[in-house]
Amino acid sequence: MSDTTHHPQHQQLIGLHVNGEQYEILTEPRRTLADALRHDLGITGTHVGCEHGICGACTVLLDDAPVRSCLMFAAQAEGARVRTVESLSDGRELSDLQRAFSDHHGLQCGFCTPGFLMLAEGFLAERPDATKEEIREVVASNLCRCTGYQTIVEAIDDCAARRRAAALAPAAVRAQGD
């Protein structure tokens, strides 16, 4: 007869830096970052869809780069800066990217929206001068069954244009003062 005694998983203490806050959690080595965020830290804006890295609903920023949090272990994020959709807003006002999604109807059911927002935030930080074609190519990596993507592309493009204009405004004011 075999031994059917259940042995608890080995747990480890890890430190996570999420949305500017430091956390320590005791977790199994194979716990995903998505599960640690949602279940251990109560940061539920990160959605879990396919759990295979295909849909992109779980996208977060890891050291400013978009990653699928369902495909990485929480322990792999130790020592890195993790940003979730909650980091975009101060809790009182929507960020410029969130406002653009709202203005352009870039969300419908909202399930995929956090992943798209974090993908776009990371992409625009890297490529502030992205063209609509480049934006369209990037957003194709996430799945949405409601919007048809065009409104998402329009929202990201509008946000990028506004950010570029805002970055140029101080230079124009300085040039007028000379």
Side-chain angles (χ1 to χ4, degrees):
M1 194 157 144
S2 65
D3 179 18
T4 58
T5 306
H6 176 68
H7 297 286
Q9 290 274 356
H10 170 74
Q11 296 209 348
Q12 64 187 51
L13 183 65
I14 63 170
L16 294 175
H17 189 258
V18 182
N19 299 335
E21 300 287 329
Q22 191 65 37
Y23 299 91
E24 284 189 343
I25 60 171
L26 187 63
T27 189
E28 295 85 21
R30 296 184 59 83
R31 185 136 174 105
T32 67
L33 178 58
D35 285 342
L37 291 168
R38 293 184 58 80
H39 303 294
D40 297 329
L41 301 180
I43 301 172
T44 58
T46 301
H47 293 166
V48 178
C50 67
E51 296 188 72
H52 296 284
I54 296 168
C55 73
C58 68
T59 302
V60 299
L61 298 182
L62 185 73
D63 289 335
D64 300 322
V67 297
R68 306 286 209 238
S69 64
C70 76
L71 291 182
M72 67 180 299
F73 299 126
Q76 291 175 292
E78 192 167 28
R81 290 180 331 273
V82 177
R83 286 186 58 204
T84 69
V85 70
E86 287 87 352
S87 73
L88 295 180
S89 171
D90 63 6
R92 293 182 298 277
E93 290 187 34
L94 297 176
S95 72
D96 59 341
L97 184 58
Q98 291 169 312
R99 277 193 314 276
F101 265 65
S102 178
D103 292 347
H104 291 273
H105 308 286
L107 52 98
Q108 288 187 16
C109 81
F111 188 82
C112 66
T113 305
F116 274 107
L117 287 166
M118 297 315 292
L119 176 68
E121 185 73 12
F123 177 67
L124 291 181
E126 182 181 310
R127 293 290 320 273
D129 58 342
T131 65
K132 271 192 181 179
E133 291 74 32
E134 291 168 324
I135 293 168
R136 188 172 287 108
E137 185 175 321
V138 166
V139 301
S141 68
N142 282 26
L143 299 179
C144 175
R145 295 181 180 196
C146 300
T147 66
Y149 297 91
Q150 188 58 35
T151 56
I152 294 170
V153 171
E154 294 293 332
I156 296 168
D157 183 56
D158 181 46
C159 181
R162 289 174 188 267
R163 286 181 181 182
R164 287 190 301 268
L168 293 175
V173 170
R174 283 193 305 271
Q176 289 176 350
D178 291 339

